[in-house]
Amino acid sequence: MNSTIEDTRTEELEQVLSAAATAADPWAATPARNRAAALRAIADHLDGAADTLIDLGTRETFLPEARLRGELKRTTFQLRLFAEVLDDGSYQDIRIDTADEQWPMGAPRPDLRRVLEPVGPVLVFAASNFPFAFSGAGGDTAAALAAGCPVILKAHPGHPELSVATAVVIQAALRDADAPSGLYSVIFGLDAGRAALVDPRVQAGSFTGSIAAGRALFDLANARETPIPFFAEMGSVNPTFVTRAAAHARGADIASGFFASMTASSGQLCTKPGVLVVPEDMLVHLRSQTPPPPSPLLNDGIQEGYVRSLQELVSHPGVAPLLGGEKAFSDPPEATLLVTSIGDVLGDPSGLLAERFGPAALVVTYQDEGDLLRLARVLEGQLTASIHGEDDDDVQDLIRELAKRAGRLLWNQWPTGVSVTYAQHHGGPYPATTQAGTTSVGTAAILRFLRPVAYQGFPQSRLPGVLRDDAPTPVQRMLNGKLVSA
């Protein structure tokens, strides 16, 4: 689908930035219940426009209708879940210490009241592989709006028409909710994205994509005169370790589960299990898998990058074909498994444990189960790491090692299909992300776009409403070290 949308011009970008800056204070001051109503309005409007949006999405991304409908459902659920977070109010992490002349520190304690407040306009770089859930109305957009921050979306070139259509729906919903003008805008083009990122009115940025692009933007955000937080999700091979006992007990089931997870969405998921570590006798189960019909990748750039990275892997002297291969480099590509030994990986971890964004994975065989821990120790930061084992397997050291290197650990499950929940963590040490302490999925994502402010010695009339003794809305607070609802 050829788009006629042009890159955002300098004067247009100035209007967007000015409008976002103007909307920041009014939106931050908008009561949480009103912001919640706006999020629900966006969800309702997106549901109402589903057929139009999904038709655009299928034409621009090659993703099937069923996948896009599921993704849109996830997106509107996410918006409504953040609305519930605002209704609850505990996200503000309110802490109140009343004045205490007898404070045992050795000096009187002043009256201190701490709350999380919005950082200001946020620049969100949309993802290619999730045109809804990590793009126009995705997790960072929902989290930033919930936090009280205006959003400027840098559209992905893989789905520009859908980005415009989604923006029209979101802006209409915000008008219906009486939200400030300029609260949500969309811009196009790499130059516009870079210019926005270094503009002093933008106070935070987020990104989902490649290591090269994410690192370049992260460096740009940190090179500003006043650096800003930049939350980049970049690369992960999501290793899966299979113990001998698990392979013996259910090797066929593990192989089929792995192959289904690895080929989901043609391998274009950030949580795709790209490395499977197994005893040699499990190879027979992996060779017997039936590849799904090849599907086009999201766009020409991803196809070219996938072929290039797969060619590098295939040419490695320690790597051999295991399944597929005849049409591995075709457009669309056939699912492919390659195999190597744990010794080869330990000898060249950076060459063999790189992400391949597409329907390919590397199977690593081992003889000694003790080598699993050695392999874990050479891993870079990951979004996920999985173990398939039996209850009496001695894997506690492996679990502890993987916990140092991944943001989410899984036991006898597969990492694709990231659930939007309260306890979810979708992040990990570099290069999986640039901010291992934050998540892009789940309700904790709101914390990306808030910062703590403590008010000391203020009279009640000068405090934000939620910090007053007679707060207008009951909310969970920590009062003198004890959780209360008031």
Side-chain angles (χ1 to χ4, degrees):
M1 180 176 179
N2 294 323
S3 173
T4 59
I5 297 174
E6 297 180 352
D7 289 355
T8 301
R9 296 190 298 272
T10 301
E11 59 272 21
E12 294 171 328
L13 180 60
E14 172 58 31
Q15 292 172 0
V16 166
L17 291 164
S18 177
T22 300
D25 284 347
W27 186 238
T30 298
R33 64 180 180 277
N34 294 46
R35 298 205 303 272
L39 294 179
R40 293 186 175 103
I42 295 172
D44 292 343
H45 279 63
L46 288 170
D47 284 340
D51 289 344
T52 298
L53 296 175
I54 288 167
D55 181 61
L56 275 172
T58 55
R59 285 187 281 144
E60 282 193 305
T61 67
F62 299 116
L63 293 172
E65 179 181 342
R67 152 69 197 271
L68 288 174
R69 286 197 180 276
E71 188 186 331
L72 181 57
K73 180 178 181 180
R74 166 203 175 112
T75 301
T76 56
F77 168 80
Q78 190 165 243
L79 286 158
R80 294 184 177 104
L81 190 63
F82 274 112
E84 292 181 12
V85 169
L86 292 177
D87 289 340
D88 172 75
S90 59
Y91 74 95
Q92 297 168 99
D93 192 24
I94 298 169
R95 297 165 183 251
I96 297 176
D97 294 336
T98 56
D100 184 352
E101 291 290 331
Q102 305 303 318
W103 187 237
M105 186 187 81
R109 181 179 72 186
D111 186 279
L112 280 164
R113 301 177 184 232
R114 181 183 185 271
V115 67
L116 298 183
E117 298 192 352
V119 299
V122 174
L123 176 64
V124 176
F125 286 81
S128 63
N129 58 335
F130 281 93
F132 292 118
F134 284 83
S135 292
D140 279 331
T141 295
L145 290 175
C149 303
V151 169
I152 300 167
L153 180 88
K154 191 306 191 159
H156 194 279
H159 39 82
E161 301 284 350
L162 179 60
S163 299
V164 170
T166 302
V168 169
V169 172
I170 293 174
Q171 289 165 348
L174 291 173
R175 284 194 300 272
D176 289 351
D178 294 324
S181 176
L183 187 57
Y184 179 92
S185 301
V186 60
I187 61 175
F188 298 87
L190 183 58
D191 289 342
R194 286 174 171 167
L197 185 59
V198 299
D199 190 278
R201 288 165 288 194
V202 168
Q203 295 300 303
S206 69
F207 167 87
T208 302
S210 70
I211 293 176
R215 182 56 196 251
L217 294 170
F218 174 71
D219 290 345
L220 202 60
N222 281 281
R224 291 174 32 148
E225 183 176 351
T226 303
I228 58 172
F230 189 78
F231 307 98
E233 178 195 318
M234 300 178 294
S236 185
V237 297
N238 307 296
T240 297
F241 296 79
V242 181
T243 67
R244 285 193 179 281
H248 178 75
R250 43 198 169 84
D253 289 341
I254 293 171
S256 61
F258 163 74
F259 203 66
S261 182
M262 186 273 287
T263 58
S265 294
S266 297
Q268 298 170 109
L269 299 174
C270 54
T271 52
K272 179 195 82 174
V275 172
L276 180 68
V277 188
V278 298
E280 273 193 15
D281 55 10
M282 236 192 84
L283 295 184
V284 63
H285 299 301
L286 292 162
R287 286 194 187 97
S288 68
Q289 300 304 307
T290 302
S295 298
L297 301 190
L298 290 161
N299 53 58
D300 291 342
I302 288 177
Q303 169 72 22
E304 293 166 5
Y306 169 69
V307 168
R308 185 168 55 251
S309 68
L310 186 57
Q311 286 172 335
E312 292 173 357
L313 184 60
V314 168
S315 66
H316 194 285
V319 171
L322 179 65
L323 177 68
E326 293 183 5
K327 299 180 180 178
F329 304 105
S330 300
D331 187 2
E334 184 180 51
T336 303
L337 291 181
L338 300 165
V339 63
T340 190
S341 71
I342 203 163
D344 283 306
V345 174
L346 292 173
D348 185 14
S350 61
L352 291 176
L353 298 180
E355 183 181 28
R356 272 85 193 179
F357 195 69
L362 181 65
V363 179
V364 180
T365 61
Y366 67 86
Q367 298 288 337
D368 182 353
E369 203 164 272
D371 283 340
L372 299 183
L373 188 58
R374 292 178 62 203
L375 179 57
R377 286 173 176 154
V378 303
L379 288 170
E380 293 185 312
Q382 305 291 328
L383 292 172
T384 76
S386 306
I387 299 173
H388 284 256
E390 299 297 290
D391 287 348
D392 56 354
D393 278 327
D394 182 12
V395 291
Q396 202 56 38
D397 288 345
L398 179 61
I399 293 171
R400 282 195 293 267
E401 193 64 37
L402 293 176
K404 300 175 187 176
R405 301 173 191 280
R408 179 164 57 106
L409 304 186
L410 297 95
W411 178 258
N412 290 335
Q413 296 183 34
W414 300 102
T416 46
V418 184
S419 184
V420 180
T421 71
Y422 304 101
Q424 185 60 269
H425 185 79
H426 188 62
Y430 186 88
T433 71
T434 55
Q435 302 278 354
T438 74
T439 179
S440 63
V441 179
T443 59
I446 195 172
L447 300 177
R448 287 183 159 190
F449 310 115
L450 296 165
R451 67 177 184 88
V453 178
Y455 294 81
Q456 180 172 334
F458 277 76
Q460 292 286 312
S461 62
R462 300 294 184 182
L463 287 168
V466 294
L467 294 182
R468 296 175 188 172
D469 291 343
D470 58 348
T473 304
V475 65
Q476 187 180 79
R477 306 191 286 187
M478 180 176 284
L479 178 61
N480 295 327
K482 299 183 184 302
L483 286 177
V484 300
S485 292

